[in-house]
Amino acid sequence: MGVPDEKIHPHATGAAAKTVAQHEQPQDLVFYAGWFCPFVQRSWVVLEEKGIPYQYKEVNPYKKEKHFLDINPKGLVPAIEYKGKALYESLIICEFLEEAYPDHTPHLLPSDPFERAIVRLQLDHVSKAILPAFFRTLQAQEKDKQEAGLQELYSGLRQLAQKVKGPYFLGEQFSLVDVAIAPWAVRDYILAEHRGYKREDVGNGWKEWAEKLESRDSLVKTSSQHYEEIYGRYLRDEAQSEAAKATRAGRVIP
Ligand SMILES: N[C@@H](CCC(=O)N[C@@H](CS)C(=O)NCC(=O)O)C(=O)O
């Protein structure tokens, strides 16, 4: 028996569909992706930014088919196969791409070790503070819990935005901090429509940064339509994804 999340639109649409069509040929790097997934979009953005040759393969991660579990035992997208070897976890894939393709620019990590560490600190903040608050706000059913989630989200985003040099996190250089948060800037309209979220209420220039991120070419080229269909299940707290279950149980997002 399947889970309700299995019933998703089967492939990318809009600008992302064109990008998928350009990446059907076999390559050393196979990108296992779900068109709808913000974690996928992180790695996809890096592939597109750097112009790395890749073959796009659409996976429905809710089906947990054996061939996919062999690649990622966690059964989550994104995952890659690189020269026959498997790797998963969006940010780990992003860093792998940065290191495995040193001649492909832009470089998304600064060259100075201290600056690199600062970028990683912010990635940690996105994972531990911002994303859990985003999911909590999305899934909360009671008004007071939605409001509490929203305030946590504002606080997490505010702390991050405060450090933005502009127009991107490190200034002119587009970096992994931008990559890590951008897919949620693309999707925050869902919270605006259903949870009273306003970019302006974050402050510290988040609105301007979010606008810059969502309009960047690599984000536009990897964005589809139909996100509402996916997020409807989260908004009703019916989603059975690992992230949704973890959020419901007060656990860390896997
Ligand atoms: N920490 C993982 C999260 C990936 C993730 O949660 N992907 C979702 C789709 S957006 C997935 O594959 N869900 C399948 C499931 O929950 O069963 C990463 O950063 O790659």
Side-chain angles (χ1 to χ4, degrees), residues 160-175 177-178 204-213 216:
L160 186 67
Q162 192 183 25
K163 301 184 180 69
V164 175
K165 295 206 178 110
Y168 296 111
F169 187 77
L170 295 176
E172 291 301 327
Q173 183 193 357
F174 187 69
S175 78
V177 180
D178 302 291
N204 288 349
W206 164 244
K207 183 170 183 289
E208 292 70 20
W209 186 27
E211 284 168 0
K212 190 81 187 160
L213 291 174
R216 187 153 172 116

Side-chain angles (χ1 to χ4, degrees), residues 36-39 42 61-62 64 75-78 89-90 241-243 254:
F36 58 89
C37 175
F39 299 96
R42 287 171 159 175
Y62 303 110
K64 312 282 177 217
L76 304 174
V77 284
E89 274 301 319
S90 56
S241 68
E242 295 306 317

Side-chain angles (χ1 to χ4, degrees), residues 34-61:
W35 63 267
F36 58 89
C37 175
F39 299 96
V40 162
Q41 196 172 19
R42 287 171 159 175
S43 308
W44 202 0
V45 159
V46 173
L47 288 166
E48 283 295 319
E49 285 282 341
K50 291 178 175 288
I52 294 171
Y54 67 94
Q55 181 184 13
Y56 183 101
K57 282 207 182 157
E58 186 70 40
V59 172
N60 180 339

Side-chain angles (χ1 to χ4, degrees), residues 157-158 161-162 198-208:
L157 286 171
R158 197 171 290 137
Q162 192 183 25
K198 290 197 192 80
R199 283 181 179 173
E200 302 84 304
D201 290 355
V202 173
N204 288 349
W206 164 244
K207 183 170 183 289
E208 292 70 20

